[in-house]
Amino acid sequence: MNVKLILFAFLVGGMILLNEQTNVNALPASPLRARQDPGSTLGVFKIVGNSGVEAMHAVLVSPRKVVFIDKLEQNALKRPDGLSALSSEYDLDTNTVRPLGIYTNTFCSAGSWLGNGTLVEAGGDKGDANYGSGIQTVRLYDLSVGDWVELEGIAPSNRWYPAMATLPSGYVFVLGGSTAATGVNRAEINNPTYMIFPSPTGGALVDVPFPFLTTALPYNLYPMVHVIPNYEGATQLFIFANQNGIAYDLDNAKVIAEYPKIGGGIRSYPLTGSSIMLPLDPTNYYKPTIMICGGNVAYEVTSPADSSCGRLDLTTPNAAWDMDNFGGTGRVMPDSTFLVDGSILFINGAGMGFAGYRKGGGANALWVNENPVLFPYQYDPSAKTYKALSASTIPRMYHSVSTLVPDGTVLIAGSNPQGAVALNVKYPTEYRVEIFYPPYLYSQNPRPNIISLQTYPINQNRINVNYGQEVTMVVQIQSNGSPPSLKGCIIHHGFITHSQNMSQRYVYLEITNFWTDSTTANQYILTLKLPPNPTIIAPGPSYIYVFNGDSPPVSGVHVLLTQAA
């Protein structure tokens, strides 16, 4: 109870200050060369564990821990009080879970990180006799506590299916949603407002009108939000819903650009597509390009999923969408996940229908999402090409997730196209966790083994770094007869739910110096320059990587990116 009171007191007055020495688990020993497998050119899926709760939401909270969040339903994983857990912490080393203490309904909520490294999760649905209402609740996950703290009823309005994003200030933007559960939004329950958490004034949270979400009805739930990079440090947001996008100046509360309507289908829930900002590169001044893929053209059970993607350069005058065929496969509810080399894994989803629960039961059940797409595409943003990879055996449709793990693998979990836990049906409530080993893990190039950053050993604690800083890294790379060819990047892994990876971002880093360490065989010292300001990548927890050709490191480095004092 004291922890809750302290956290709340800090929040209403400003930002929480976490101890620099917040504990995270160190990585186990890993091979420096990738495993060899004759079938590995297309990647490999492996079922590794059980999520405990259905993985409607997922977030990497430390190098070897993922937190899953479900809704109010009867999961087999129990809290100490005997009630079903609504959230779990998954250990990637042991493939085991432990229940976490959420006591309000998290159904269709959202999340993002504060700049100080505290995870914020907000919204949800009404409760019952044992669980509180989550629809005006804000939840905090603090690594030093290892569990959730819930601030019930502090939001000024109900939010179900909102979007969230970390702002350059380190605060969190919470946008839209509806005031009650619904299949398709409608005017009487629409919430066309945003709030900023914690309150920038230090007082109560307030809602600010946002008319764009009214014009985007009825397909405006889980709107897509991306901070637009710029050198001026202005807080500008790309916001998209239905088939239209705008640029919004949050500092001055005004629309500064209206973009053309995207071709193809509708992209917002329940005709759900996925959006991603393509990797940002200092060599082209962090030029921002948005990519939006999948969805559907009609709210019909038998409607084939949309097989198109659009790319839009946000800084080109009179920019038009550059459309493609999404590799030739339609997907509704796809997930888009960055891989370490800057390519994108499009994974999960259905080939027909829309996001939602089956109607009826037994042999006559009508599944509103069907034809699961079992294989992912790997997309090369530079070449604009799609490569079909190995297929999973597990349908991952409504309420599925995917996230990059710092060792270069991808965790996939979830799928629950029904309102209550059901196991012996065509598409059951899915608890199995998979790890996907992308093709680059089978490269002949030796994997870098990052030893330290700024003299600190990696992944024992978050390492504090600053915007514009040049950081020194020590790396071991086994020799294969050729000198290493290194690139660097920093990735914010985001918060994943309903095909949206909130605040996910990839930024290439300039390697400003690189030399051989004469004291140790196969060891190198390099310096990397971090992005210049928090519009390029959000403040808070991210991971720094260096990769050798196409081969990722044994692990990225967990950092806390902040403004210098």
Side-chain angles (χ1 to χ4, degrees), residues 45 331 345-347 374-378 387-391 436:
F45 281 89
R331 292 181 201 248
L345 193 74
F346 289 109
I347 193 168
L374 297 174
F375 71 94
Y377 277 123
Q378 184 176 5
K387 179 182 178 181
L389 302 179
S390 296
F436 179 64

Side-chain angles (χ1 to χ4, degrees), residues 219-275:
Y219 301 114
N220 68 353
L221 297 177
Y222 278 133
M224 302 166 186
V225 181
H226 301 271
V227 174
I228 300 173
N230 61 86
Y231 283 97
E232 292 74 35
T235 304
Q236 299 172 351
L237 305 173
F238 173 81
I239 298 173
F240 183 98
N242 199 323
Q243 291 182 292
N244 292 291
I246 60 172
Y248 186 76
D249 181 345
L250 189 64
D251 297 328
N252 297 293
K254 65 179 183 179
V255 176
I256 55 177
E258 296 183 1
Y259 297 105
K261 180 179 178 179
I262 194 172
I266 293 164
R267 313 292 174 160
S268 297
Y269 180 89
L271 308 181
T272 305
S274 186
S275 73

Side-chain angles (χ1 to χ4, degrees), residues 95-136:
N95 294 307
T96 58
V97 294
R98 67 179 181 92
L100 298 178
I102 281 182
Y103 295 83
T104 62
N105 192 356
T106 46
F107 185 29
C108 298
S109 48
S112 199
W113 292 89
L114 288 173
N116 60 15
T118 299
L119 177 64
V120 180
E121 213 266 354
D125 202 359
K126 59 187 179 182
D128 67 5
N130 294 314
Y131 301 83
S133 172
I135 204 163
Q136 288 182 256

Side-chain angles (χ1 to χ4, degrees), residues 37-124:
D37 185 325
S40 61
T41 57
L42 300 180
V44 174
F45 281 89
K46 182 180 179 183
I47 300 170
V48 295
N50 184 298
S51 57
V53 305
E54 198 283 326
M56 184 186 301
H57 316 72
V59 58
L60 180 80
V61 296
S62 67
R64 305 300 295 172
K65 297 285 179 66
V66 173
V67 165
F68 295 122
I69 306 166
D70 190 16
K71 62 183 175 67
L72 199 168
E73 61 182 341
Q74 297 305 306
N75 295 303
L77 183 68
K78 305 300 182 185
R79 301 183 315 209
D81 62 4
L83 292 174
S84 291
L86 307 188
S87 180
S88 66
E89 181 191 80
Y90 187 87
D91 188 308
L92 288 157
D93 292 328
T94 62
N95 294 307
T96 58
V97 294
R98 67 179 181 92
L100 298 178
I102 281 182
Y103 295 83
T104 62
N105 192 356
T106 46
F107 185 29
C108 298
S109 48
S112 199
W113 292 89
L114 288 173
N116 60 15
T118 299
L119 177 64
V120 180
E121 213 266 354

